[in-house]
Amino acid sequence: MAEYGISVGQRVAVVWDRSARVEALKDLVDKIQMLVGAGSRVSVENIDQLSCSSHTESSFDVVLSGMVPGSTTLHSAEVLAEIARILKPGGCVLLKEPVFAETGNNNRIKTAAKLPTVLMLSGLVEVKELQKEPLTPEEAQSVQEHLGYQGNDLVIVQMKGKKPNFEVGSSSQLKLSFARKSTSGGKPIVDPSTAKLWTLSANDMNDEGMDLLDSDDLLDSEDLKKPDPASLKAPSCKELGKKKACKNCTCGLAEELEEEKKSFQPKSACGNCYLGDAFRCASCPYMGMPAFKPGEKILLNEDHLHDA
């Protein structure tokens, strides 16, 4: 186990499932305990109870899952996420799992190509395959008993991954300086190579091989036609179907409405307005004006209209 990064003083968790034999599990735990020393405790967790354990985040340096000889452990996304949670930053996970060498028709069993992807999606980095070999007779029997699969297209794969050197959700302030570097004179320092990229000299325009585009070639015959003045005139208020003149009207509707207002001929209510003031009502708009012939057009000034 030393070649997998287990050393003295480390905290190690061993994850097992029902396919592991008790004697093989005990033998594995004893070997790990000898490697880490008497001062460190090896935790043994059943894979189905791992999420219910009381382990806090970043508790273990190494997690071994499915490493019990003869076991055939399947790792769900939830189990892998929990393993990543209890690992310390920079901690290592080693696992074994039966997979399809190519493709398969079992939804529970992954393919050899998919397993690394699942490990990375759980938050692990530097995921790599350490070993791939055919199932031993003991492992093949375990697959039949515990996974209910009887095919002969499975292999056992050993994978390794690491937790990143930071906690999930951690943050770090970036040290950025936007201050311009300047000389003793106070002027900013300009990189000569950078300044050259943005400098265009007269010699750059004397290249005989440079094709210059004539701006007249961008215009076609339609662009050169003189536009009809009528097409440039904005539509009037009347053309737009408006009954009232716009504010700051320039089409002449405001003046036309004003003239109509001045030439407005009030309709007589009594029919005696033309006879003179003696025959007119008190509110007659013709009050004060001389008599006129019936039907004669009379222009009233503004004062008469407002008083009416």
Side-chain angles (χ1 to χ4, degrees):
M1 296 293 174
E3 64 269 23
Y4 298 143
I6 298 178
S7 57
V8 177
Q10 289 186 325
R11 291 202 64 192
V12 180
V14 178
V15 181
W16 62 279
D17 71 342
R18 61 195 181 104
S19 66
R21 293 183 294 108
V22 177
E23 297 80 5
L25 174 62
K26 185 177 182 302
D27 184 56
L28 176 64
V29 173
D30 291 341
K31 290 180 180 179
I32 297 174
Q33 190 66 65
M34 291 178 60
L35 290 173
V36 298
S40 297
R41 183 171 60 88
V42 178
S43 297
V44 182
E45 295 289 347
N46 182 276
I47 195 169
D48 297 326
Q49 302 298 323
L50 182 61
S51 59
C52 300
S53 65
S54 58
H55 300 301
T56 59
E57 294 182 0
S58 307
S59 299
F60 298 98
D61 299 287
V62 180
V63 174
L64 305 180
S65 183
M67 298 294 292
V68 179
S71 64
T72 52
T73 306
L74 298 181
H75 300 84
S76 64
E78 292 75 13
V79 169
L80 293 174
E82 180 64 15
I83 290 176
R85 186 187 71 84
I86 63 177
L87 268 177
K88 293 181 180 179
C92 177
V93 57
L94 299 167
L95 63 84
K96 274 188 176 181
E97 182 170 337
V99 296
F100 288 107
E102 299 295 336
T103 58
N105 55 1
N106 190 297
N107 294 331
R108 295 181 59 197
I109 303 176
K110 308 176 186 67
T111 62
K114 184 178 180 180
L115 182 56
T117 303
V118 176
L119 290 172
M120 288 187 288
L121 290 176
S122 66
L124 300 175
V125 297
E126 299 182 25
V127 176
K128 59 183 178 180
E129 181 183 298
L130 299 180
Q131 192 176 21
K132 181 193 294 183
E133 55 188 9
L135 298 179
T136 64
E138 183 181 5
E139 291 168 344
Q141 183 180 357
S142 177
V143 167
Q144 294 180 14
E145 293 179 0
H146 301 287
L147 303 182
Y149 186 76
Q150 298 181 359
N152 57 0
D153 52 351
L154 296 182
V155 294
I156 196 80
V157 176
Q158 182 172 323
M159 304 293 298
K160 180 180 180 180
K162 292 181 64 178
K163 184 175 181 177
N165 292 320
F166 54 84
E167 289 289 0
V168 176
S170 60
S171 61
S172 178
Q173 185 176 3
L174 297 178
K175 296 182 180 180
L176 300 176
S177 176
F178 297 97
R180 292 185 177 181
K181 296 180 180 180
S182 59
T183 61
S184 57
K187 295 182 178 180
I189 300 175
V190 179
D191 185 4
S193 59
T194 304
K196 186 177 180 180
L197 293 174
W198 295 96
T199 301
L200 183 65
S201 65
N203 295 330
D204 295 330
M205 300 301 294
N206 293 333
D207 189 358
E208 295 180 357
M210 181 180 293
D211 295 330
L212 297 179
L213 185 64
D214 188 357
S215 59
D216 292 336
D217 294 339
L218 300 176
L219 302 175
D220 54 25
S221 57
E222 293 295 328
D223 297 325
L224 298 177
K225 289 183 179 180
K226 186 177 180 180
D228 183 8
S231 64
L232 302 178
K233 184 179 180 181
S236 64
C237 297
K238 279 189 175 181
E239 293 173 342
L240 294 176
K242 294 183 178 181
K243 296 183 179 180
K244 292 185 178 180
C246 301
K247 186 178 181 181
N248 301 323
C249 177
T250 59
C251 69
L253 180 60
E255 291 80 358
E256 183 178 342
L257 294 177
E258 185 67 23
E259 290 296 328
E260 290 181 0
K261 184 178 178 181
K262 291 181 178 179
S263 61
F264 174 71
Q265 184 75 21
K267 185 177 180 180
S268 175
C270 61
N272 300 325
C273 300
Y274 70 95
L275 296 175
D277 288 346
F279 301 91
R280 293 169 181 165
C281 304
S283 60
C284 182
Y286 298 102
M287 185 66 70
M289 298 183 65
F292 53 87
K293 296 179 180 180
E296 182 181 357
K297 186 176 182 180
I298 304 299
L299 296 180
L300 302 176
N301 57 32
E302 288 287 330
D303 295 336
H304 281 82
L305 290 175
H306 288 314
D307 292 342

